[in-house]
Amino acid sequence: MTIRLDGNQTANALMNTLQGQVAALKTAGVVPGLAVILVGDDPASAIYVRNKRRRAAAIGVASTVYTLPTTATQAELLAQVAALNADPSVDGILVQLPLPPQIDAAAVIVAIDPDKDVDGFHPVNVGRLWTNTPGIVASTPYGIMALLHAYGIHVAGLHAVIVGRSNIVGRPLAGLLLNHDATVTIAHRQTAGLAALTRTADLLVVATGQANLITADMVKPGAVVVDVGMNRNAAGKLTGDVDYAAVAPKTRAITPVPGGVGPMTIAALMMQTVALAERRANG
């Protein structure tokens, strides 16, 4: 029987645990603080930020959104980052991407204190991940690992194929899987013979933004499939990168879209914010 990897249920359980951790921190005089910088009025970004604030409030994390206009300069954004770096009440800083074209996102990421970089994008944190001394890790990969753990899926010894090489999902997830003793192959749009490669995967993770890219004939029987895609079909319905209806019966376990990886991403952000606050509490 196929296991449905329920991200909503798992995230809710994790949030309940975090609520207790936050209460203990507050008893010790520490209120976890998350600062989110939103530049411009991109509707999708506004929704993401609102969801993050709601989750933070639910567990007692103090979250503040700093909104800058679409016309903000890079200097103005860097000044805001510098102020938050210096604020001892802020444990985690997140700059919502994408940024307007006049701003160099890479320069902004580098400006964030790596010990407050709750997104895990700073080169220092990327280096820590790839030297197997991770601190803060990108939220989506962290959430995927937490979801697999919650369902007792151990990746050691598995051949993991990741379709997608972004700095947000594919690359950091590869590092995490390697650190947990999986054998990892990263595929992308230039990969020849994709179907033959994905059929070798014990764990198949797909993060391409291409709806229903993975069909049943591309999946090994008994594989674990993690669908990171979030697309809308012609009817406006959310769909993943995997043809769920066709693929699910072949799998050992699979994430739905929606309700799979998405909730775990925000839960992972909260987990790492609380972990940073605990580090502050412990000096």
Side-chain angles (χ1 to χ4, degrees), residues 2 23 27 42 57 62 66 76 81 84 92 114 130 147 152 154 190 200 215 221 264 270:
T2 299
T27 299
D42 178 73
Y66 298 85
E76 289 171 331
V81 169
L84 296 172
W130 283 97
L147 182 60
H154 305 289
Q190 299 297 327
T200 69
T215 52
M264 294 301 300
M270 296 304 147

Side-chain angles (χ1 to χ4, degrees), residues 13-27 58-60 274 278:
L14 289 170
M15 296 296 280
N16 287 337
T17 300
L18 287 175
Q19 193 170 28
Q21 292 176 242
V22 171
L25 282 166
K26 288 183 175 180
T27 299
I59 62 171
V274 173
E278 289 177 334

